[in-house]
Amino acid sequence: MDLPSHHWPDFLPGWVWLCGAGPGDAGLLTLHALNGLRQADVVVHDALVGPEILSFAPQAELIHAGKRGGKPSAKQTDISLRLVELAQAGKRVLRLKGGDPFVFGRGGEEGAALKAAGIPMRIIPGISAGIGGLAYAGIPVTHRDVNQSVTFITGHDQSAAAPHKLDWEAISRASEVLVIYMGMKHVGQIAGALLSAGRPAEEPVAVVCDATLPEQRVLETTLGALEADLAASGLAPPAIICVGRVVEKRAVLNWLGS
Ligand code: SAH
């Protein structure tokens, strides 16, 4: 596929492009991401970036810098250092992250490390799993009948423990729709915290696994039954958990039939 006519930026040697790959379906890459993939010397990618997307950069060296909850992975400081070294060696470095680099992706930290080292960078946003992934399950993150706000939450804090620091009561009161990333490990604690904070047990919940990929699966349940239903389903990460009545819109909007 040729890129449509546009002033596409040249990927200059010694630059790092900090780029989102979207939630999985290669068609959800941005054109800037595709342009970067085609010119990169090195692609430093996460575990969540799949082979089809990487195949758009056949000329590039691929470096796996995956971070995945619970599994041994490169340390964040090592990844940032690697990006700096590759750029200083004159490479065109595409740092490719799942979803959007600035949504629970530590893109801000990597960008700051590049800035501190004087490395020029371009930032290319991507479709975040908590928006695009839910859309592939037929769930709009906002709907006029349901919510005027949406809260994006991480189920892990920096120590990979459950997010004790979050004020679940305030979150429960403030936002009709909650979109939880990295929530699978601590799903019982998260559901318990929301119930204690006053969210009803019958509130609809969807768990969207491998969103936008051919193996996408969706569990529809309620807050009260979430932990047990999830355990019985055998579903595994990566998954987005959506709490709120927007989940009911799936009845009409589930275009994929997953
Ligand atoms: N920067 C990414 C999020 C990184 S955190 C983004 O904007 O989407 C990793 C978490 O994202 C996973 O634990 C999961 O909660 C979510 N995630 C990423 N890709 C996903 C997918 N294809 N399906 C479901 N969840 C996904």
Side-chain angles (χ1 to χ4, degrees):
M1 182 180 82
D2 287 328
L3 288 177
S5 166
H6 174 71
H7 182 67
W8 297 108
D10 287 331
F11 205 154
L12 298 176
W15 278 62
V16 176
W17 287 12
L18 198 51
C19 178
D25 180 350
L28 296 178
L29 279 174
T30 64
L31 295 177
H32 274 308
L34 182 58
N35 180 44
L37 278 161
R38 288 180 172 182
Q39 297 182 68
D41 297 314
V42 190
V43 177
V44 182
H45 64 93
D46 286 351
L48 285 174
V49 178
E52 190 185 354
I53 288 173
L54 296 173
S55 77
F56 296 151
Q59 79 293 347
E61 180 193 349
L62 302 179
I63 298 178
H64 186 283
K67 293 177 71 66
R68 197 81 186 264
K71 296 197 186 140
S73 59
K75 285 210 198 84
Q76 189 59 45
T77 43
D78 296 345
I79 297 172
S80 296
L81 200 62
R82 192 79 189 271
L83 297 176
V84 169
E85 284 169 359
L86 288 164
Q88 282 171 344
K91 306 279 190 197
R92 300 170 182 86
V93 186
L94 188 71
R95 173 63 173 123
L96 194 59
K97 292 167 146 321
D100 183 282
F102 282 178
V103 179
F104 302 132
R106 308 192 73 166
E109 289 157 73
E110 292 178 17
L114 296 169
K115 174 81 179 174
I119 307 291
M121 69 179 134
R122 167 179 284 272
I123 291 166
I124 303 176
I127 295 178
S128 191
I131 298 178
L134 291 181
Y136 267 49
I139 301 169
V141 285
T142 74
H143 189 290
R144 211 154 58 101
D145 299 345
V146 176
N147 58 327
Q148 291 184 299
S149 68
V150 51
T151 300
F152 297 99
I153 300 169
T154 172
H156 278 180
D157 65 14
Q158 291 202 342
S159 61
H164 300 299
K165 282 175 233 135
L166 289 176
D167 183 342
W168 290 102
E169 290 199 6
I171 289 170
S172 288
R173 260 198 318 277
S175 196
E176 304 94 327
V177 173
L178 313 176
V179 176
I180 304 166
Y181 292 68
M182 293 176 276
M184 296 287 266
K185 191 165 170 208
H186 300 298
V187 71
Q189 274 170 274
I190 292 168
L194 289 170
L195 291 166
S196 312
R199 299 292 281 234
E202 61 278 9
E203 183 161 10
V205 176
V207 181
V208 185
C209 296
D210 294 316
T212 80
L213 293 166
E215 54 274 22
Q216 171 174 307
R217 282 182 65 197
V218 183
L219 169 72
E220 267 187 78
T221 177
T222 60
L223 200 52
L226 172 59
E227 189 178 12
D229 282 357
L230 193 56
S233 73
L235 292 180
I240 291 287
I241 301 171
C242 179
V243 179
R245 286 200 302 110
V246 285
V247 169
E248 291 167 352
K249 302 297 175 190
R250 241 171 85 71
V252 174
L253 299 176
N254 179 17
W255 58 279
L256 202 55
S258 64

